[in-house]
Amino acid sequence: MTALLRYQAALLARSQRWLAPLLLYAAVLAVGVRSGQPVLGSLGVAAAAVLPVTAWAVHLCAAQEPPAARTVASAAAGPRRVHLAALLTATGCATALAVVAGAGVLLISSPVTDDGARAVSRPSAALAGLLAVLCCVLLGAAVGALSTRPVPLNRGWSVAAAVLGSLLALVTTGSPARLAVTALVTGSRTGAVQPSVLPLLGAAALAAAAAFLVCRIAARRG
């Protein structure tokens, strides 16, 4: 699996397709985060924005191999392992990006509530922000996995499914991503920091189920 992960990461790095989702994430943060803003609200923006970026990264990694190369890799390691490596590569890259961005947001933001009346602990904010970011990354990976190959959708419907899935993941009542982001936004108003442990577990379960399903489809389709 390590060799497959290196292979997928090298393909992604050489393709430079990662530049578009990176610029999208940077643009959202540039618009939604300002120096001196309340830290929890800013971390909420960073967490929410990484969900569609992760779904996009999964699309890139799942479809980046030429058909001949995919056939060779699948023959050597099995289509299930090859597809899983693509999913893990995209998820790992999105996680690294979000953690670095979150650290930057934490440094430039002010550890206070929205009204400036109460202080917010930076370590507590960092933990809550990290859990929210991981929750959104995992849910974005699930959305991306279910809206691209080997799921039988043409390219237009695949992109539409990823966009709609990302939106629903952020706004649907009970969604782990919505719960995690809402906890940060609420904490920014009240000063109560609530780490999103249960939403993270829910997002991890959904991501694992999505990965299992699409890897089974990949194995059946070869």
Side-chain angles (χ1 to χ4, degrees):
M1 182 59 74
T2 302
L4 286 174
L5 291 173
R6 288 201 300 264
Y7 167 65
Q8 293 288 345
L11 284 177
L12 182 62
R14 286 200 298 265
S15 73
Q16 297 185 356
R17 295 187 219 177
W18 49 267
L19 187 59
L22 175 63
L23 291 176
L24 171 64
Y25 193 49
V28 172
L29 293 185
V31 172
V33 177
R34 291 285 187 275
S35 178
Q37 285 183 334
V39 63
L40 291 176
S42 296
L43 287 172
V45 173
V50 81
L51 195 155
V53 169
T54 304
W56 192 348
V58 169
H59 274 231
L60 295 179
C61 285
Q64 66 181 342
E65 292 174 277
R70 181 88 172 191
T71 300
V72 171
S74 297
R80 188 192 303 264
R81 287 166 57 85
V82 172
H83 196 73
L84 179 60
L87 298 181
L88 291 176
T89 299
T91 305
C93 291
T95 300
L97 172 63
V99 169
V100 171
V105 169
L106 188 68
L107 290 175
I108 67 171
S109 299
S110 180
V112 295
T113 55
D114 288 346
D115 58 8
R118 290 176 293 278
V120 173
S121 167
R122 280 193 188 273
S124 297
L127 176 60
L130 176 62
L131 295 183
V133 159
L134 293 177
C135 181
C136 289
V137 165
L138 289 171
L139 211 56
V143 170
L146 293 172
S147 58
T148 189
R149 61 185 292 186
V151 178
L153 294 171
N154 63 39
R155 183 164 181 80
W157 285 111
S158 177
V159 172
V163 172
L164 180 60
S166 297
L167 178 61
L168 291 176
L170 288 171
V171 302
T172 302
T173 301
S175 164
R178 177 177 175 175
L179 292 173
V181 173
T182 300
L184 291 175
V185 174
T186 302
S188 189
R189 291 199 304 266
T190 64
V193 182
Q194 298 290 337
S196 302
V197 177
L198 291 180
L200 177 60
L201 294 177
L206 290 173
F212 177 77
L213 175 62
V214 297
C215 286
R216 283 197 66 178
I217 295 174
R220 288 182 177 182
R221 298 185 67 183

